[in-house]
Amino acid sequence: MRFRWPFGLLLACLLPLTAQAQARTPLVVEAALDRQVIAPLLTAFEHAYPDIALYYHDRSTLEVDRRAREVHPAPDVVISSAMPWQLARVNEGLAQPLTSPAARHWPQWAKWRNEVFGFTFEPIVTVYRLDLARYMKPPATHADLQAILTTQQARLNGRVTTYSPSRSGVGYTLFQQDARYSPRFWDLVAAMGAAEVSLEDNTQAMLDGLSDGKYWVSYNLLGSYAMYWAQTHPEVIVQVPQDYALVMMRMAFVHRDAPHPMAAKAFVDFLLGVEGQRILAGSTPLFSVLPEVIGPYTAQRLRDQVGERLYPIPINASLLAFVDPLRREAFMARWGREISILEDGD
């Protein structure tokens, strides 16, 4: 005998569930940050704020920037590793300030006008396959990398990879910083070009190529992604350069036109708060910023390991020069001359 629910009783049971779902505040986060890497923090936020429905979208740096400028309705929170682009959008008035205690007390060197915040502290690394050591000494410095590219060019030909500065915002940022700190940077670019370097759009493509054996060495990877990958791929070795190591920060801001500003501010506060920073320090290789947080992945621990050779990219007005069209055009022209490789779309 088939039992049928009375329509009135069925409707009465469903209405509370529908009302509960409708009561949750949506939160749209556009981020250039792999969801699998930041997953522990997202899960903790969802547990802490069950009344917020989080919609987290992981995209490229250039796509995140486009959506921050052009998409309507706007995202609630914007996160990116392309630091000059983030500061440029804030400077254009696309962010709204945070007045919470976490925002006011955030380290001055990791924020701009209480509107955009660097909440991670990620070293830039060289990554190589373990079997590279069978043929040559693995590179521990930028000079070492240039040396093996020169002396082992035939063996490394086509087996080297790095970012495409024309197709990756973070790649362009890192190369600009390298040119600032290293007088031999353009010699290294020329050596990579002579070895027929492969230029990729994102870190994952480089890591996949390293694990597959397509690439033997990769330059200027995001340390967080590389360390996360190396946990389950023992053939991949991560090297923080010993001569100098750039440090990149993910920058987050609440969009000026955020449809759900209270939820957006709660999310950024969670990134900056002790609980969020502890998760970054203990459960992700994104490296926390907050000084009082203790864990295997903290800014202080990285400073203790690398010392004065650690060069964080500063969050200040100097970043705006990197998005200047004339400066970008001049840099890309020099890049093209030195690397002697025609990029797709150039």
Side-chain angles (χ1 to χ4, degrees):
M1 178 179 178
R2 180 177 298 176
F3 178 79
R4 294 185 178 180
W5 281 78
F7 178 76
L9 180 58
L10 179 61
L11 185 62
C13 292
L14 291 178
L15 279 176
L17 297 177
T18 304
Q20 183 181 10
Q22 290 177 344
R24 299 183 72 201
T25 303
L27 172 65
V28 177
V29 178
E30 292 287 351
L33 174 52
D34 283 2
R35 187 184 187 104
Q36 61 182 355
V37 177
I38 199 174
L41 187 141
L42 298 180
T43 300
F45 175 80
E46 290 173 321
H47 287 163
Y49 292 88
D51 56 332
I52 295 177
L54 175 62
Y55 298 92
Y56 182 91
H57 304 291
D58 171 25
R59 308 184 195 275
S60 71
T61 52
L62 298 183
E63 178 62 14
V64 167
D65 183 65
R66 185 191 72 80
R67 286 176 172 270
R69 290 181 289 111
E70 300 176 3
V71 171
H72 301 283
D76 293 301
V77 176
V78 181
I79 297 174
S80 179
S81 54
M83 298 174 66
W85 277 264
Q86 287 290 85
L87 195 64
R89 301 308 152 236
V90 172
N91 197 54
E92 292 166 1
L94 284 188
Q96 53 180 289
L98 270 66
T99 59
S100 65
R104 293 197 309 271
H105 298 141
W106 196 246
Q108 288 293 329
W109 56 267
K111 66 179 179 180
W112 174 260
R113 299 189 309 211
N114 277 352
E115 293 179 4
V116 64
F117 304 85
F119 66 95
T120 67
F121 196 79
E122 303 169 52
I124 306 305
V125 301
T126 300
V127 184
Y128 60 90
R129 280 184 61 85
L130 182 60
D131 52 7
L132 177 85
R134 295 167 50 195
Y135 304 98
M136 64 197 78
K137 184 179 179 181
T141 67
H142 294 80
D144 290 345
L145 178 59
Q146 182 183 338
I148 65 170
L149 288 172
T150 303
T151 60
Q152 301 284 340
Q153 180 180 330
R155 192 180 296 277
L156 291 175
N157 197 59
R159 291 173 167 169
V160 182
T161 185
T162 191
Y163 283 112
S164 160
S166 68
R167 303 193 303 272
S168 168
V170 67
Y172 172 77
T173 302
L174 297 176
F175 293 137
Q176 282 274 16
Q177 292 293 324
D178 273 328
R180 173 185 177 187
Y181 287 117
S182 173
R184 300 295 302 275
F185 169 69
W186 291 113
D187 294 333
L188 176 57
V189 172
M192 287 192 293
E196 298 188 11
V197 63
S198 294
L199 302 177
E200 297 283 8
D201 295 6
N202 56 71
T203 302
Q204 192 57 56
M206 290 186 268
L207 292 171
D208 287 337
L210 285 162
S211 288
D212 294 344
K214 177 182 179 181
Y215 303 134
W216 281 16
V217 62
S218 183
Y219 172 60
N220 263 16
L221 270 73
L222 299 181
S224 55
Y225 291 172
M227 293 174 188
Y228 181 85
W229 187 259
Q231 291 174 1
T232 54
H233 294 80
E235 72 280 357
V236 169
I237 305 299
V238 179
Q239 172 69 59
V240 178
Q242 295 180 4
D243 50 349
Y244 75 89
L246 297 175
V247 176
M248 177 275 299
M249 287 180 277
R250 311 275 173 171
M251 294 169 63
F253 66 85
V254 175
H255 201 285
R256 175 194 63 200
D257 303 320
H260 314 99
M262 297 305 294
K265 292 178 181 180
F267 183 80
V268 175
D269 272 343
F270 192 80
L271 297 179
L272 308 181
V274 172
E275 182 181 356
Q277 289 285 297
R278 280 176 178 165
I279 293 169
L280 293 182
S283 302
T284 80
L286 291 166
F287 289 86
S288 64
V289 172
L290 207 59
E292 58 265 35
V293 168
I294 298 174
Y297 301 108
T298 68
Q300 188 55 53
R301 184 161 185 174
L302 191 60
R303 287 192 178 99
D304 292 342
Q305 292 174 346
V306 182
E308 296 180 356
R309 302 184 304 277
L310 207 59
Y311 294 168
I313 301 174
I315 299 180
N316 58 36
S318 68
L319 283 176
L320 297 174
F322 297 135
V323 295
D324 177 75
L326 293 179
R327 177 166 182 162
R328 180 177 174 84
E329 181 180 352
F331 182 89
M332 292 306 301
R334 177 77 185 270
W335 173 274
R337 290 195 304 269
E338 299 293 348
I339 207 162
S340 302
I341 291 177
L342 183 64
E343 292 198 56
D344 293 339
D346 287 358

